[in-house]
Amino acid sequence: MAASMATSLSSLSHRLSLRPQYLPLLPLKPSSLSFSHHVPSPSPLLSLRCTPPESEASETDPIPEQEQEQDQEQETAALEEEEEEEDGEPPMFSGPLFDWPDETEEESGTAFERLYGPAFSGKSYLGGNINCMDGVLNKLIDEFDNLIITRPVDDFKDRVIQVRRVTKVVKGGKNMSFRAIVVVGDGKGHVGVGVGKALEVAEAVVKAVINGRRNIVTVPLTKHLTFPHRATGKYRAAEVMLRPAAPGSGVIAGGAVRAVLELAGLQNALGKQLGSDNALNNARATIVATQQMRHLADVARERGIPMEELWK
């Protein structure tokens, strides 16, 4: 009998172990899933528990109403601090651009007028004349015109050789203008010839000076301020002959040739016009002749021999 009962119990337990889904599941509350009572050491991983139901919440958990009251108190304190800062010195700005306080029309107009002057709006916030911009523009135009006429501060000097009235024939008739020929030089071996045309003589001279400064050349000079050797220059129908001179001779030349030699810095030289008497062509022929001259040291350096060999 006992053996049969043991056999039946073992078979029943074996069936229950094979099919555990038939076992009844007991309802468990989240509070009963606490493992901290069975662990001797306070391990943070084993002391987890499910959140207790609302009815069984602990007294230490914050109440939503208390949190709301705390938030209200913090907002009230922040507003009081802002009011205290407004009563005293203004706080330093540290926010984005759209946090700037809105400016009034008078403040923005005053700032604009202080930086750029009064606008053409018919109103001046600083008490200025609303039409003074016309005067400012006229003053700027005058300064610009004077800037063109004003000569730069340097060692260059200019000499007018010739001013002639020229005519241009067009479909509607003749256009009259003036042509000026100017020689520009610093007296240290730099000289240039310029030409300018304009309806007024002053403007023509200014254009000629600018053109001469753009065509500056270097003239070779010796220690006695004369030419190193002879040279002859041709420009179209004009021909100019240049010769060195002894110290104390001075510049023996005439017309445009003399003006070019003096502004170049020569004090002892000979020059003669052999062809046309055109002032512009003779001045340019003089420049061509000076560009043909070279110092003895330059020639010796190009040949690769000492200067003493040049005299043999």
Side-chain angles (χ1 to χ4, degrees):
M1 185 67 180
S4 61
M5 290 180 65
T7 303
S8 61
L9 289 175
S10 62
S11 61
L12 179 61
S13 62
H14 179 67
R15 290 174 59 187
L16 290 176
S17 63
L18 292 177
R19 304 185 68 180
Q21 63 272 23
Y22 293 102
L23 292 177
L25 298 177
L26 299 177
L28 299 176
K29 293 183 179 181
S31 58
S32 62
L33 297 178
S34 176
F35 302 98
S36 60
H37 300 287
H38 305 284
V39 180
S41 61
S43 177
L45 297 176
L46 300 178
S47 61
L48 299 176
R49 62 178 182 177
C50 297
T51 305
E54 296 181 358
S55 59
E56 298 180 5
S58 61
E59 297 179 358
T60 58
D61 295 337
I63 301 175
E65 295 181 356
Q66 295 179 357
E67 293 180 355
Q68 294 179 0
E69 292 178 357
Q70 292 178 0
D71 295 340
Q72 292 178 359
E73 290 177 359
Q74 293 177 359
E75 293 177 359
T76 306
L79 292 174
E80 291 177 357
E81 290 178 1
E82 291 180 359
E83 292 177 356
E84 290 177 0
E85 290 177 353
E86 292 177 358
D87 294 339
E89 297 181 356
M92 294 295 294
F93 175 76
S94 61
L97 294 178
F98 52 81
D99 286 344
W100 280 103
D102 296 335
E103 292 185 354
T104 61
E105 182 180 357
E106 183 177 358
E107 292 176 354
S108 58
T110 303
F112 179 85
E113 188 173 352
R114 187 179 293 108
L115 292 174
Y116 306 105
F120 292 97
S121 60
K123 183 186 295 185
S124 176
Y125 296 95
L126 298 179
N129 184 10
I130 61 174
N131 298 321
C132 69
M133 291 300 294
D134 298 334
V136 172
L137 292 177
N138 294 332
K139 184 178 179 181
L140 292 175
I141 292 173
D142 295 340
E143 291 180 355
F144 182 74
D145 294 340
N146 295 332
L147 182 63
I148 297 177
I149 298 174
T150 301
R151 300 174 183 176
V153 181
D154 52 18
D155 297 334
F156 281 87
K157 299 179 182 179
D158 55 81
R159 184 181 301 180
V160 180
I161 297 177
Q162 187 184 71
V163 177
R164 296 182 61 180
R165 190 177 66 177
V166 294
T167 304
K168 180 181 179 182
V169 180
V170 295
K171 183 178 180 180
K174 296 181 179 180
N175 291 338
M176 308 293 294
S177 60
F178 294 92
R179 186 193 70 174
I181 304 173
V182 179
V183 179
V184 182
D186 61 350
K188 300 178 182 179
H190 300 90
V191 68
V193 178
V195 182
K197 296 180 181 179
L199 299 177
E200 300 293 337
V201 176
E203 295 180 5
V205 172
V206 170
K207 288 183 178 181
V209 171
I210 295 173
N211 183 253
R213 285 175 174 271
R214 292 176 179 174
N215 300 300
I216 295 294
V217 297
T218 302
V219 179
L221 302 177
T222 63
K223 63 180 180 179
H224 299 294
L225 299 179
T226 185
F227 295 121
H229 57 84
R230 299 182 179 186
T232 301
K234 293 183 179 181
Y235 186 84
R236 295 187 179 181
E239 183 178 356
V240 175
M241 179 185 64
L242 300 179
R243 297 289 187 271
S249 301
V251 177
I252 304 174
V257 179
R258 184 181 186 89
V260 173
L261 298 182
E262 288 182 349
L263 290 177
L266 291 162
Q267 296 182 4
N268 305 290
L270 299 174
K272 184 170 179 59
Q273 301 176 6
L274 302 177
S276 173
D277 60 350
N278 185 282
L280 179 58
N281 290 343
N282 281 307
R284 290 179 173 175
T286 306
I287 296 295
V288 171
T290 58
Q291 296 305 295
Q292 297 176 1
M293 299 180 183
R294 293 182 297 172
H295 287 291
L296 297 179
D298 297 336
V299 177
R301 188 182 305 107
E302 291 178 359
R303 295 183 182 181
I305 59 177
M307 290 185 60
E308 292 79 6
E309 297 292 333
L310 296 175
W311 304 101
K312 294 182 179 180

